[in-house]
Amino acid sequence: MNRLASTALAWWEARTRREQRMLAVMGLAVLAVLVWLAVVRPAWAWREAAARERLRAENGLILVQRAARQAPSADAGGGDINAAVEAANTEAGVTPVLGMAPDGALGFSLSNVGTAAAFGWLSALHDKGVEARSLSVVENADATLTVEGSLASR
């Protein structure tokens, strides 16, 4: 280790004062870039991602609460839409993501579900007096469906 240090010191002292200053400035610039790439950028990216995630969670919670407040309270069977959705979930074996639809109704999204499960869930809802006010069905590359829409009582 001493031999390596003494070799480096001999190399450094063989440089002129001007070369030493230029090498020191270059070393500081390289160090600054490395600190920027290894510390500052990841920290800023982490903070931005955390802020986006928090905003998305807050918006989702607000939309679910607003949809629950604005959802009609009774369907043809005498219960509410949320109870009908929960019952249909257990019957069809699916788990929709609920939120507020653009039209202000209770919105839903089913991702990567089979055709029988998706339309079985919609049929179970229909039997409970809840209908899809709007419906968007997209076939995925793996032969599953992504179903989105809004629900309303009949």
Side-chain angles (χ1 to χ4, degrees):
M1 186 70 169
N2 282 338
R3 194 173 77 176
L4 181 62
S6 63
T7 305
L9 184 60
W11 176 84
W12 180 258
E13 290 180 357
R15 306 287 132 223
T16 64
R17 176 67 71 197
R18 182 176 178 199
E19 287 174 334
Q20 289 176 351
R21 287 180 185 154
M22 287 179 11
L23 287 171
V25 169
M26 182 187 66
L28 287 174
V30 168
L31 182 65
V33 168
L34 289 177
V35 167
W36 172 262
L37 291 175
V39 177
V40 176
R41 281 185 55 192
W44 283 356
W46 174 79
R47 286 186 64 198
E48 289 174 10
R52 279 193 308 269
E53 197 64 31
R54 178 178 177 221
L55 182 63
R56 191 169 53 169
E58 287 175 352
N59 287 341
L61 180 62
I62 290 169
L63 292 176
V64 168
Q65 289 173 345
R66 190 177 298 159
R69 271 196 318 265
Q70 293 179 352
S73 61
D75 63 15
D80 66 328
I81 291 179
N82 291 330
V85 169
E86 287 300 321
N89 292 351
T90 57
E91 286 179 25
V94 297
T95 306
V97 176
L98 300 177
M100 186 172 160
D103 60 353
L106 178 64
F108 69 91
S109 174
L110 293 170
S111 298
N112 300 327
V113 295
T115 304
F119 289 105
W121 181 73
L122 289 170
S123 176
L125 283 175
H126 185 268
D127 294 343
K128 296 180 183 343
V130 177
E131 293 182 341
R133 183 183 291 175
S134 65
L135 189 64
S136 169
V137 179
V138 177
E139 184 179 10
N140 299 325
D142 60 350
T144 59
L145 299 177
T146 298
V147 183
E148 295 179 346
S150 63
L151 302 173
S153 61
R154 282 191 270 165

